[in-house]
Amino acid sequence: LSINQVNEMEYEDFISTFGNVVEHCSLFAAAIWSQRPFHGVKQLHKTFCDFIDTLPKLGKEGILRSHPDLAGRIAERGLLTTESTKEQLAAELNTLTPEEKANLTRLNEAYKTKFGFPFVICARDNKKAAILSGLEARLENETEKEVIQGVEEVKKIAFYRLLDILQHEEAEKLIGGW
Amino acid sequence: LSINQVNEMEYEDFISTFGNVVEHCSLFAAAIWSQRPFHGVKQLHKTFCDFIDTLPKLGKEGILRSHPDLAGRIAERGLLTTESTKEQLAAELNTLTPEEKANLTRLNEAYKTKFGFPFVICARDNKKAAILSGLEARLENETEKEVIQGVEEVKKIAFYRLLDILQHEEAEKLIGGW
């Protein structure tokens, strides 16, 4: 898909194409459609991020609560979105040992109890060991800081999802741009 | 479902129960979950509305763009959400004559072309004649006014959807409260 094709989309097509750039938050694609024309994947990403930044704290927490637990019940039941399935596989979360799995579940639960939203991390930037240690470290944060950190991870996830959707050629030029 | 049961829900259950109170905007249920305890359907509704009011204009337009056209292609293909199906039936949109249907389609298209989002009206408060005349009248408005009007309709739709979810007894006391 080229950025020109994106700019010519009716909003219905735009929403179905970009509706899960932020997990289960198709509202964001619906919101930013009127900001066309977009000049490329980076600027499209920035438009998503700018919109997210305008949301009040409740909305940002809501974004995090719209995400599934890593290697949690939804993953076990095969009910993850296509995008999340791919990301959790990239992080090799399918290769957790029973001990690692138990550890992750325990930490996830502790995190959700403390913050009221799940631990969100860009799984494509992290393998399972980094995820486990990251979760343990972030569990120590204050809520305020974790909302900010979680949302920053959401933005990274969104960038990779946009790269997957947009022209492969343009994607290759940009990858590693973090 | 009683309000006490609602207040005891984990956020995952809360989101799956209330995720479509605003069409395709499960983010809103995800956002307001932390505002428990709710004291009844009216106050739960107010919490949804207050959250909607905090959104920037783009977000409000996004809410409207998340709604299907009345008696449009999505309805024809049987792809409406359960809630929308019920509402469009309540408005007797399934009894449109070919002429009314053609008229509605033409007006819907004109509306979308002018405003960049679809015509949203609380179908349970209006039968087909009122919808057609309302659409014709609102087509004359300025965009700014239509965003506000559309969002007010979304809030009415949300109230009825909440009544459907919460205890029937409580619902009966409140119906006609508009």
Side-chain angles (χ1 to χ4, degrees), chain A residues 11-12 15 24-28 30-31 33-35 51 54-56 58-59 61-63 65-66 73 112 116-118, chain B residues 11-12 15 24-28 30-31 33-35 51 54-56 58-59 61-63 65-66 112 116-118:
Chain A
Y11 68 78
E12 290 93 339
I15 297 170
H24 292 305
C25 295
S26 60
L27 173 70
F28 299 173
W33 172 80
S34 59
Q35 302 302 91
F51 181 75
T54 64
L55 295 176
L58 276 191
E61 287 181 13
I63 296 174
R65 278 193 281 273
S66 301
R73 279 175 304 168
K112 291 205 303 188
F117 48 79
Chain B
Y11 68 77
E12 290 93 338
I15 297 170
H24 293 305
C25 295
S26 61
L27 173 70
F28 298 174
W33 171 81
S34 59
Q35 302 302 90
F51 181 75
T54 66
L55 295 176
L58 275 191
E61 286 181 14
I63 296 175
R65 278 192 282 272
S66 301
K112 293 205 303 188
F117 48 79

Side-chain angles (χ1 to χ4, degrees), chain B residues 54-121:
Chain B
T54 66
L55 295 176
K57 179 164 171 280
L58 275 191
K60 288 173 181 158
E61 286 181 14
I63 296 175
L64 300 175
R65 278 192 282 272
S66 301
H67 283 70
D69 292 348
L70 287 168
R73 279 176 302 168
I74 297 173
E76 274 170 17
R77 290 180 199 156
L79 297 174
L80 290 177
T81 59
T82 315
E83 294 88 344
S84 280
T85 304
K86 188 171 168 179
E87 290 153 5
Q88 300 206 13
L89 280 176
E92 298 175 352
L93 289 174
N94 57 325
T95 69
L96 290 170
T97 64
E99 199 173 52
E100 288 170 332
K101 180 69 198 295
N103 197 22
L104 181 58
T105 303
R106 185 182 55 78
L107 290 168
N108 262 335
E109 284 309 313
Y111 187 100
K112 293 205 303 188
T113 302
K114 176 167 179 183
F115 299 115
F117 48 79
F119 174 69
V120 176
I121 190 167

Side-chain angles (χ1 to χ4, degrees), chain B residues 124-155:
Chain B
R124 290 210 234 178
D125 278 345
N126 294 278
K127 295 285 183 231
K128 62 182 183 180
I131 288 173
L132 278 162
S133 61
L135 175 45
E136 203 144 16
R138 282 174 49 190
L139 196 45
E140 301 303 313
N141 286 340
E142 298 299 310
T143 304
E144 202 84 358
K145 190 171 173 190
E146 266 312 292
V147 173
I148 294 168
Q149 177 73 46
V151 167
E152 288 309 307
E153 298 293 323
V154 168
K155 291 177 180 176

